[in-house]
Amino acid sequence: MQRLTNKRIILGITGGIAAYKSAELVRLYKTAGADVIVVMTPAAIEFITPLTMQALSGKPVHTTLLDPEAEAGMGHIELARWADIIVIAPASADFLARLNNGLANDLLTTLCLASEAPLYLVPAMNQAMWHNHQTQKNVQQLTIHTTFWGPDSGEQACGDVGPGRMLEPINIAQRTAELFSNNLLSGKTVHITAGPTREAIDPVRYISNHSSGKMGYAIAEAAREAGASVKLISGPVNLACPERIHRVMVDSADDMLAAVLEDIDQCDIFIGCAAVADFKPATVAENKMKKNASDTMSLALIKNPDIIATVANLTTKPFTVGFAAETQNVVEYAKHKLANKNLDLIAANDVSIGDIGFNSNENALTLISSNKQLSLSKNSKSKLARQLIEHIAQLIP
């Protein structure tokens, strides 16, 4: 279940004796590397405590829609945006009825309505309740837009035998992992640059760009999930190397270019996401430069190599994707860069907006190719990375 690494899962728990199984499900998700937030209905709290779920998930459990403390942190809308997937296990007959009628009278139903994440319902109830014509009507209507896992059939807590048992946690966890399996880039080799570069002025000072590397690292993980072999050429960042990805750490633009060109002939798709410094000092002082009496200091700069253009203009070039971080005329400048540098695709974003782009966990992108333009609205960088990879997969031969 390694496909769940770094996935964001909201686990909703509704009222029912099967709620005890949800504790094991949280443990399985966490063991597989997923990030789990538990949301419980008031009825669920009668069967298993939020403290248990908090201990297993390592995160506060959300139980109340209008909680001032929660709204000051991760409010219900932010929580809805956070999730890669929402799993409701167990999903009671009452919850199915309320969800089918579009009610938002508790936190869990509100999240389901507010989130664009895929929703999976794992029903658990008495066999007579499952067979009831109104429950079946609710299930039939919900199936149009959501997916049901189960129920299983067998002996129930009340002594009845029949359909209505919640699937076993290992079964749910495996089904969840399979959702993140795809072969969009199976057999492809993807090289990605990420983070900033540092151009030395002297042994202790440098010129750089704002960049946390989060977008590039998210793209590397998305490409790996899509079945690609991934090489990540990273500038200095405070991010751990994603699992099953070959990472090469560099400092300067010259170092990054050398690492890029080293095995570029093996690359099928090149994604230049790094914030490469456009200029570097013409000379690097051997020792630390000392302050003098003057209030000014002159520094001669020369252009750095254009890494993305170098790759895009190779005789046999990979499918080349660039990034354009702009503060004005975003689409216009991105189109100019697409044509000038001979790129196949460019992802443009407006870094003048404070809550997206550099150092943020969220972003918004406009994908531009020679004959197509696609806007990806504000979302987590991990979600945008998957959308970008899906788009690239549609464009490559």
Side-chain angles (χ1 to χ4, degrees):
M1 290 189 287
Q2 289 181 333
R3 298 167 187 146
L4 291 178
T5 300
N6 297 322
K7 299 301 181 294
R8 293 174 167 182
I9 302 172
I10 287 179
L11 175 62
I13 304 175
T14 70
I17 187 60
Y20 80 90
K21 292 184 178 181
S22 302
E24 174 65 7
L25 180 57
V26 172
R27 189 192 68 79
L28 290 169
Y29 280 154
K30 291 294 292 181
T31 301
D35 204 3
V36 183
I37 289 179
V38 176
V39 177
M40 301 178 71
T41 65
I45 297 170
E46 300 296 325
F47 292 89
I48 192 165
T49 68
L51 183 60
T52 298
M53 293 302 170
Q54 179 174 318
L56 290 168
S57 67
K59 292 183 179 294
V61 173
H62 297 255
T63 58
T64 306
L65 178 58
L66 300 176
D67 182 347
E69 185 177 339
E71 291 300 309
M74 182 179 282
H76 65 276
I77 297 300
E78 290 303 311
L79 190 56
R81 290 175 179 162
W82 176 87
D84 292 320
I85 181 177
I86 299 175
V87 177
I88 313 297
S92 66
D94 171 75
F95 179 80
L96 297 182
R98 290 188 291 119
L99 183 64
N100 186 46
N101 283 282
L103 297 183
N105 56 352
D106 63 12
L107 177 58
L108 190 54
T109 50
T110 301
L111 283 177
C112 292
L113 293 180
S115 179
E116 296 181 356
L119 175 61
Y120 293 85
L121 303 172
V122 188
M125 64 195 73
N126 170 267
Q127 57 86 24
M129 295 176 71
W130 175 254
H131 281 131
N132 182 276
H133 74 278
Q134 188 59 55
T135 300
Q136 288 303 306
K137 180 180 177 182
N138 291 334
V139 170
Q140 186 178 11
Q141 292 175 343
L142 285 168
T143 302
I144 298 171
H145 299 293
T146 61
T147 300
F148 279 79
W149 289 341
D152 263 348
S153 186
E155 187 175 349
Q156 301 180 324
C158 62
D160 286 355
V161 176
R165 285 170 55 95
M166 177 172 143
L167 296 183
E168 293 305 313
I170 187 63
N171 189 321
I172 300 169
Q174 287 172 341
R175 291 189 185 208
T176 307
E178 288 167 4
L179 295 174
F180 297 100
S181 171
N182 68 64
N183 298 308
L184 292 176
L185 298 182
S186 181
K188 301 291 184 184
T189 298
V190 180
H191 292 183
I192 301 163
T193 63
T197 64
R198 292 177 178 174
E199 312 303 329
I201 297 173
D202 62 24
V204 299
R205 301 181 180 91
Y206 58 82
I207 298 171
S208 189
N209 281 339
H210 288 293
S211 177
S212 63
K214 291 177 181 178
M215 190 74 236
Y217 276 58
I219 294 169
E221 291 192 82
R224 180 202 64 202
E225 289 170 4
S229 174
V230 182
K231 175 182 176 181
L232 178 62
I233 303 104
S234 174
V237 296
N238 294 314
L239 298 173
C241 179
E243 290 187 5
R244 293 171 286 130
I245 286 175
H246 173 51
R247 183 174 69 169
V248 178
M249 296 299 296
V250 298
D251 280 308
S252 69
D254 288 322
D255 294 338
M256 185 171 281
L257 178 61
V260 165
L261 294 179
E262 181 181 7
D263 52 359
I264 195 67
D265 57 322
Q266 300 173 26
C267 175
D268 299 304
I269 301 167
F270 180 83
I271 304 174
C273 190
V276 181
D278 293 323
F279 293 90
K280 62 184 175 183
T283 58
V284 180
E286 211 172 296
N287 298 301
K288 180 183 175 183
M289 298 169 66
K290 297 296 182 181
K291 286 187 284 188
N292 50 41
S294 172
D295 290 333
T296 62
M297 182 186 76
S298 296
L299 189 64
L301 301 175
I302 58 175
K303 274 189 175 182
N304 259 325
D306 191 326
I307 297 174
I308 192 75
T310 301
V311 172
N313 286 281
L314 292 171
T315 304
T316 305
K317 77 178 184 84
F319 185 92
T320 310
V321 182
F323 269 71
E326 303 291 350
T327 58
Q328 60 179 342
N329 302 326
V330 176
V331 172
E332 178 186 341
Y333 288 161
K335 287 181 176 179
H336 181 74
K337 187 174 181 180
L338 176 80
N340 260 20
K341 297 182 186 291
N342 194 34
L343 306 179
D344 297 294
L345 179 69
I346 193 161
N349 66 312
D350 189 343
V351 294
S352 68
I353 302 173
D355 60 346
I356 63 173
F358 293 135
N359 300 307
S360 170
N361 291 321
E362 295 186 316
N363 209 344
L365 299 174
T366 301
L367 307 184
I368 305 168
S369 56
S370 59
N371 59 359
K372 191 173 183 180
Q373 184 171 314
L374 175 65
S375 293
L376 304 180
S377 58
K378 178 183 173 183
N379 219 320
S380 68
K381 288 183 175 178
S382 60
K383 277 191 178 180
L384 290 175
R386 293 192 193 104
Q387 290 174 322
L388 172 62
I389 291 298
E390 288 170 5
H391 190 68
I392 291 171
Q394 293 172 7
L395 297 177
I396 60 175

